[in-house]
Amino acid sequence: MAGLLCGTKRKKQVSDLHEEGKNAINAPLLPSGTDIHPEDTLLEENAERIMLDPTSRENLKFKDLLKVLIDWINSELEEERIIVKDLEEDCYDGQVLQKLFEKLSGRKLNVAEVTQSEIGQKQKLQTVLEAVNDLLRPHGWTIEWSVDSIHSKNLVAIVYLLVALAMHFQAPIRLPEHVSVQVVVVKKREGILQTALVTKELTSTTEMMMGRFERDAFDTLLDHAPDKLNVVKTSLITFVNKHLNKLNLEVTELESQFADGVYLILLMGLLEDYFVPLYNFFLTPESFEQKVHNVAFAFELMQDGGLKKPKARPEDVVNLNLKSTLRVLYNLFTNYKNTE
């Protein structure tokens, strides 16, 4: 009996040693402090799983990005009485993503309103993501998300998707610049798990992010014919002064004098022939927020006048972004150039 017990113990030691050796081989590049979950070891051959590195979760810029996205979703879905507190827990089943896409695109998706089962949730996600991908892919987006990654609460995939939607629909938010995270990529090759730490860029500069969908005549002008820029600016200055002179106002610098929104508001009143009540805007704005309020209000007046929603964001005009200011003024010029 003693010999049998001794033999059993020895076999267990050998088995434990074999398991330890297998784990050491299977995870040679695994960063310290990162846990491999049991489901990750069950990957099919050539499959991979991506996990957010724990240190990146505490990155302040990443946390700021999450807050901006959450606040944006809650603002967009306020009428739906939907409140998002955690992107992983609140977006994985497709319900929030469905409502958000419908609100932004103005399209109604043919999906069940409430789905409790995993199959139902994945079917809803499939419909939502197909609509999103059909919209974004023609614009050159690399699809960094999937039904499985979203449903498995992959935060990086969820953030990629939300950033793409925010950029495409020109959300009135300022995404933090240069947000990158590290992810652990687990792959199975020939039955062996291989792990690596990879850096994922979630946002770049505001100019690059906004420019993704705004390559137009002004981009070409600034990139390839800067000598002609002064001609365009002169034409726009002549146009705005033709109207602002009626109020004894004159513009000499486009990017700076329209940055607080006051001249934009007064110009719209002159072009549409109405008086804008002073209580609707800040006549002498001091803070960034007051200036953004003014420019946003001017944009509303433009839309009330039948113009399309400006591609520029109020924040970009306030921040003296020349291309954004030119786009806004050129839009007015093309619509009101014959107005006396």
Side-chain angles (χ1 to χ4, degrees):
M1 179 65 72
L4 181 61
L5 289 174
C6 185
T8 302
K9 184 177 180 181
R10 190 179 298 113
K11 286 181 181 179
K12 186 177 185 306
Q13 289 174 337
V14 171
S15 176
D16 290 346
L17 186 62
H18 174 73
E19 188 67 27
E20 183 179 344
K22 185 174 72 173
N23 289 339
I25 293 172
N26 284 357
L29 302 176
L30 189 62
S32 60
T34 303
D35 295 325
I36 289 288
H37 299 289
E39 61 267 24
D40 297 321
T41 63
L42 302 177
L43 289 175
E44 296 181 0
E45 184 66 21
N46 294 321
E48 71 174 37
R49 188 183 297 275
I50 297 177
M51 301 168 289
L52 181 64
D53 185 53
T55 56
S56 289
R57 194 177 285 272
E58 299 304 315
N59 181 295
L60 292 180
K61 292 179 73 172
F62 181 60
K63 284 185 172 182
D64 186 27
L65 176 60
L66 297 184
K67 183 179 185 305
V68 170
L69 292 173
I70 289 173
D71 290 345
W72 169 57
I73 295 172
N74 287 335
S75 175
E76 290 289 346
L77 300 183
E78 184 177 7
E79 294 181 0
E80 297 281 348
R81 297 183 179 179
I82 292 176
I83 298 177
V84 171
K85 296 182 179 180
D86 183 287
L87 293 181
E88 292 163 292
E89 295 299 327
D90 295 333
C91 292
Y92 82 95
D93 63 358
Q95 181 76 7
V96 169
L97 294 177
Q98 172 211 338
K99 295 296 184 182
L100 181 63
F101 180 78
E102 290 180 340
K103 172 71 186 304
L104 295 173
S105 67
R107 290 176 51 193
K108 183 71 176 176
L109 298 178
N110 184 23
V111 293
E113 280 301 312
V114 180
T115 51
Q116 299 293 340
S117 69
E118 179 178 335
I119 293 176
Q121 291 170 353
K122 286 190 173 183
Q123 287 175 341
K124 172 179 281 193
L125 274 174
Q126 182 73 33
T127 301
V128 174
L129 295 186
E130 282 179 358
V132 170
N133 296 348
D134 288 345
L135 183 71
L136 297 182
R137 193 177 277 115
H139 294 281
W141 278 97
T142 300
I143 306 303
E144 299 276 1
W145 50 84
S146 66
V147 171
D148 288 336
S149 63
I150 300 293
H151 195 265
S152 64
K153 304 180 183 180
N154 182 323
L155 184 57
V156 175
I158 294 171
V159 170
Y160 263 127
L161 173 59
L162 292 174
V163 167
L165 289 173
M167 288 167 57
H168 180 79
F169 288 103
Q170 298 178 17
I173 57 177
R174 177 159 290 277
L175 296 171
E177 297 183 337
H178 298 298
V179 179
S180 295
V181 294
Q182 290 191 313
V183 297
V184 181
V185 181
V186 183
K187 299 179 181 180
K188 179 171 281 189
R189 295 290 184 270
E190 298 180 358
I192 296 176
L193 288 184
Q194 301 174 348
T195 63
L197 203 58
V198 177
T199 299
K200 293 281 189 179
E201 183 184 63
L202 299 176
T203 67
S204 55
T205 64
T206 297
E207 180 71 13
M208 289 180 67
M209 288 189 286
M210 293 307 297
R212 183 170 195 129
F213 301 107
E214 294 187 18
R215 297 298 300 178
D216 57 16
F218 287 113
D219 292 290
T220 303
L221 187 70
L222 290 170
D223 293 344
H224 304 293
D227 54 310
K228 296 182 181 179
L229 179 61
N230 286 332
V231 177
V232 175
K233 291 172 70 174
T234 300
S235 297
L236 292 177
I237 287 174
T238 301
F239 164 70
V240 298
N241 280 335
K242 172 185 174 183
H243 300 282
L244 290 176
N245 285 168
K246 299 171 186 175
L247 298 177
N248 294 320
L249 299 173
E250 187 168 359
V251 169
T252 56
E253 288 291 334
L254 293 178
E255 53 264 63
S256 59
Q257 288 183 268
F258 284 97
D260 64 4
V262 175
Y263 278 16
L264 273 179
I265 294 170
L266 297 177
L267 181 59
M268 279 308 303
L270 290 164
L271 293 172
E272 286 289 332
D273 196 25
Y274 56 69
F275 175 76
V276 182
L278 297 180
Y279 58 77
N280 279 331
F281 65 100
F282 298 96
L283 190 58
T284 55
E286 297 178 356
S287 67
F288 180 81
E289 288 73 19
Q290 289 177 346
K291 295 176 183 178
V292 169
H293 168 88
N294 279 358
V295 176
F297 178 57
F299 285 6
E300 290 178 18
L301 296 180
M302 293 174 196
Q303 290 176 268
D304 290 343
L307 277 69
K308 291 183 179 180
K309 181 181 179 181
K311 290 183 178 181
R313 299 187 312 163
E315 291 88 347
D316 296 326
V317 175
V318 175
N319 282 325
L320 309 180
N321 183 296
L322 178 59
K323 277 193 288 188
S324 295
T325 305
L326 287 178
R327 286 190 177 97
V328 173
L329 294 176
Y330 186 74
N331 192 29
L332 294 179
F333 173 76
T334 55
N335 283 275
Y336 297 101
K337 58 186 175 184
N338 296 322
T339 301
E340 293 299 325

